[in-house]
Amino acid sequence: MSFEVIKQLAEQVRGNIGRVIVGKEEVVDLLLIGLITSGHVLLEDVPGTGKTMLAKSLAKSLALNFRRIQFTPDLLPSDLSGIHFYNQKISEFEFRAGPLFTHLLLADEINRATPRTQSSLLECMEERQISIDGETKHLERPFMVIATQNPVEHQGTFPLPEAQLDRFLFKIKMGYPTTEEGLQLLKRFKEHDPLSQLEPVAGIDVIAQAQKAYTSVRVTDDILYYLLQIVEQTRKRDEVSVGVSPRGSQALLRACQVHAILRGRDFVTPDDVKAMAKPVLAHRLAIRGMQRAANQADAIIDDIIRLTAVPAEAGLPVH
């Protein structure tokens, strides 16, 4: 698959989702980057901003199997993975698959589940497999988790640990629509639900090809060093107790490669690194001596980018 085909795919999906979601092109691009890189996305915003609608629109645009789980304190790991049950008709144990066996999983209000249930997602998010009763079951690709959490309510919630956050490629805020976008939204949903009329623009096979092709995007040693300098600086800041892990630096590289394709290039530039740095790195920072603050983490990443020397343009491939 050529990079141009991936770019066209992204444009088709973006336009198709745009029939339902007003604005949010950058958010849609980040979701597509997550899907192509086999990454997962954490959406953090107040209820009613279109998080579930966006996930459903992405699934329908790509003909993906979609499952939604409402996370609650009484949710058990087996409610996600499935169970073995005794079938009296055939006198044997059978496996009843849980909602994790899908292509696109919406984990709604993930921070309302207990740490035990949250941790049951670690294996499937990282290794695309689930261990049940000593048996390993592989998940069908593509597999992507889109989790949501409400940043306002804290009562009855369990903050995601660093190990869980580190497995999310992006942490994204939906944000409120502008006045013009809000007006378009009211007009669009006044008479019918456009989601019900959404048709797929691509199949699973195209996504599988894109997931293999993007890794061929060229990255010079200068860009790799620039990216690594930004990551290493997060570990040296006084206000940061835990910086970005090697998993985070690899995630940033993958995101930059797909971002370059969406911008019509077959090579990564410093602008790709700058564009992807905050959504990939900010949520991986543990701020010292205070609650995790997204705005402060963003400011730290911005400051690091400002202070890090940018590679000379002469060292970049010629487009």
Side-chain angles (χ1 to χ4, degrees), residues 45-117:
D45 222 317
V46 296
T49 50
K51 299 185 293 293
T52 301
M53 186 75 71
L54 178 60
K56 288 183 176 179
S57 299
L58 177 63
K60 293 193 70 172
S61 295
L62 296 170
L64 300 176
N65 293 330
F66 174 82
R67 299 292 296 272
R68 175 183 178 273
I69 308 173
Q70 183 65 49
F71 277 60
T72 56
D74 60 346
L75 192 72
L76 299 175
S78 59
D79 294 328
L80 302 178
S81 60
I83 60 171
H84 284 96
F85 71 99
Y86 188 73
N87 189 331
Q88 293 183 344
K89 292 183 178 179
I90 61 176
S91 300
E92 290 182 1
F93 279 94
E94 287 188 358
F95 177 67
R96 179 182 294 147
L100 285 180
F101 290 86
T102 187
H103 294 131
L104 184 59
L105 175 72
L106 177 62
D108 215 355
E109 294 188 294
I110 188 174
N111 56 332
R112 290 197 176 278
T114 61
R116 178 188 176 192
T117 302

Side-chain angles (χ1 to χ4, degrees), residues 144-188:
M144 181 182 184
V145 175
I146 299 179
T148 71
Q149 62 179 9
N150 184 350
V152 178
E153 295 182 8
H154 300 289
Q155 186 174 1
T157 63
F158 303 87
L160 296 178
E162 278 71 19
Q164 186 88 41
L165 286 171
D166 200 35
R167 281 165 170 79
F168 284 101
L169 176 66
F170 295 130
K171 182 179 178 182
I172 310 171
K173 286 184 176 293
M174 290 287 291
Y176 288 116
T178 64
T179 301
E180 181 60 31
E181 290 173 346
L183 183 60
Q184 293 182 37
L185 195 64
L186 291 176
K187 290 180 178 180
R188 183 170 298 180

Side-chain angles (χ1 to χ4, degrees), residues 243-259:
V244 177
S245 68
R247 181 191 285 125
S249 60
Q250 295 174 44
L252 179 55
L253 174 58
R254 294 194 300 270
C256 290
Q257 287 180 293
V258 180
H259 186 266

